[in-house]
Amino acid sequence: MDEKLIDAILNDIYNNSEYILEESDIVRNDATQIQYREIVSFLCENAFIRQPFKNHGKLTILEKGNEVIRSGGWKKYLDIEQQAKERNTQKAIYDARISKFQATYGKYSLPISAIALLVAIGSLIVGILMYQSRIKELEMKQEVLERKIYKIDSVKTISKQK
């Protein structure tokens, strides 16, 4: 299908709140009546535009038609749709790989999680014990320093008394 004709039809419908399909449109968009009607039918069937009454030429644009116009035309819209399909295909491939991995190795998840939990608890306990031993070591050093300060003070007081 002619992308320029599709863009022209969608833009005409978009720019007119009550677009009426007439013979002059066919001449204006450089298309034969058959081409024009085929494109209008295609756009209606794929929910880009709507023709509320079959015998009436009134056409309204739908959300998908607005999306074509916002994306910059039919060709760009098709490119965007193709990229979305490729992303969905790639996502499906990744999902299949993940599912296969989970099916193959899923039975190991509980034991591995239990081991990881035990290692984490063990690390926590070791950390707490190391913290407590460090506190005791610092308290012992503080006592030694206090004794040394006491000795120094006692020597000073003795020397002052002489």
Side-chain angles (χ1 to χ4, degrees), residues 7-38:
D7 287 341
I9 292 170
L10 287 174
N11 280 323
D12 287 346
I13 297 170
Y14 179 77
N15 291 328
N16 297 317
S17 59
E18 290 192 14
Y19 180 81
I20 307 287
L21 180 63
E22 296 178 4
E23 295 297 322
S24 62
D25 295 325
I26 298 169
V27 172
R28 186 176 67 216
N29 291 319
D30 296 327
T32 64
Q33 188 173 7
I34 294 171
Q35 288 175 317
Y36 199 82
R37 299 246 181 238
E38 282 178 356

Side-chain angles (χ1 to χ4, degrees), residues 129-145:
L129 293 175
M130 288 179 66
Y131 180 72
Q132 288 177 345
S133 67
R134 180 70 178 147
I135 289 175
K136 286 181 183 177
E137 182 183 321
L138 290 173
E139 286 174 349
M140 289 177 21
K141 285 184 179 182
Q142 184 179 4
E143 287 177 16
V144 169
L145 287 172

Side-chain angles (χ1 to χ4, degrees), residues 49-103:
I49 60 174
R50 182 175 61 129
Q51 187 173 14
F53 307 105
K54 292 292 180 192
N55 296 332
H56 194 273
K58 181 179 178 183
L59 300 173
T60 57
I61 194 158
L62 298 176
E63 184 57 35
K64 280 177 71 175
N66 284 329
E67 193 175 323
V68 171
I69 292 170
R70 280 193 304 266
S71 64
W74 183 250
K75 185 162 178 59
K76 288 183 182 179
Y77 174 79
L78 291 179
D79 290 342
I80 291 169
E81 286 294 311
Q82 182 63 32
Q83 290 171 357
K85 284 180 184 177
E86 289 172 4
R87 280 193 306 270
N88 288 339
T89 302
Q90 193 64 37
K91 182 184 178 303
I93 291 169
Y94 290 143
D95 288 345
R97 287 180 184 168
I98 290 170
S99 296
K100 182 180 177 184
F101 180 81
Q102 287 174 339

